Amino acid sequence: MDNLISLADLFGVSLDYLLQGQEPAPAPEEAVRTTVVNHYYDCCGGWHYEYRSSRTLHGLPLVHVNLGRRNCWARGVFAVGNIATGLVAVGGISVGLLSIGALALGLAALGALSIGLLAAGGVAIGLLALGGVAVGGLALGGVANGVWAAGAVASGTQIAIGKVAAAPLAIGEEVRGAVTFSAGNLSLSAVEAAIRQVLPRELGFLAPWLTSLAAHVRLP
């Protein structure tokens, strides 16, 4: 019994949960109270910290922080951990609606390597990608590859804007494509007209913005 009590204290759970896997229902007057699980201890030569709120959403704690030297996994609406999954996830490896981490996957992702609908990072892959190396529908980066790409080196299946640009419509200093605009003969009105012909009608609002990017590749 002493060992069971020690284990329950270590993991911050009740004896009912430890033995049966379920917590007793709180008394009505206690139902509105929020309790937390707070751990900070050294285990097997490595530190570990964990915080878990008792409030949940569809079984997930609203906040779960799980950090340590080992692969500590945090799962919650807001999750922070070595590995984190949640609506908002922050961690070495993070997966969530909004994810931030060394490796980030999500609807919106920010990380050294990020993959998402909206991705930003050292290497970014997404419908809208912004990064040192960017790959996506609209890709902006030092090296960019996409349907519409802009960067120092840009390659696009439709439009490329950059110092070095290759695409059916290429705009830059060194250009290759069916229709090209070099920095020496760059007419912004002609560039915008050409971009509008390539873009789908519903994305025509991007034409002025892409034209403004093209203006920055002019030679002095």
Side-chain angles (χ1 to χ4, degrees):
M1 182 58 70
D2 289 342
N3 288 339
L4 289 174
I5 293 172
S6 297
L7 285 171
D9 289 340
L10 176 64
F11 294 110
V13 297
S14 68
L15 284 173
D16 285 339
Y17 184 85
L18 189 66
L19 296 174
Q20 301 177 10
Q22 61 184 12
E23 290 281 8
E29 62 274 10
E30 297 178 355
V32 297
R33 296 176 58 189
T34 298
T35 58
V36 300
V37 176
N38 241 331
H39 298 237
Y40 181 82
Y41 54 86
D42 187 278
C43 180
C44 301
W47 66 270
H48 176 240
Y49 172 81
E50 183 175 12
Y51 165 92
R52 185 192 297 113
S53 67
S54 64
R55 289 291 180 87
T56 63
L57 178 65
H58 300 297
L60 286 175
L62 293 182
V63 178
H64 188 195
V65 179
N66 195 6
L67 297 167
R69 288 190 177 181
R70 299 179 182 275
N71 294 328
C72 300
W73 188 1
R75 290 167 285 190
V77 176
F78 179 79
V80 179
N82 298 45
I83 302 171
T85 56
L87 292 182
V88 178
V90 180
I93 299 174
S94 59
V95 181
L97 192 64
L98 170 60
S99 61
I100 302 172
L103 171 59
L105 298 90
L107 187 63
L110 174 63
L113 171 59
S114 58
I115 302 172
L117 190 64
L118 171 60
V123 177
I125 302 171
L127 185 62
L128 172 58
L130 174 64
V133 177
V135 180
L138 175 58
L140 308 172
V143 177
N145 180 270
V147 180
W148 313 294
V153 178
S155 174
T157 58
Q158 292 187 2
I159 301 172
I161 301 170
K163 296 291 183 181
V164 178
L169 173 57
I171 306 159
E173 292 185 7
E174 299 179 27
V175 293
R176 184 176 62 186
V179 178
T180 62
F181 293 87
S182 64
N185 65 352
L186 199 59
S187 166
L188 294 183
S189 59
V191 167
E192 183 170 349
I195 290 174
R196 286 187 181 278
Q197 289 182 353
V198 174
L199 287 174
R201 181 178 301 176
E202 59 272 17
L203 295 178
F205 65 91
L206 291 175
W209 182 69
L210 291 173
T211 302
S212 69
L213 288 178
H216 289 85
V217 300
R218 290 191 187 191
L219 289 173

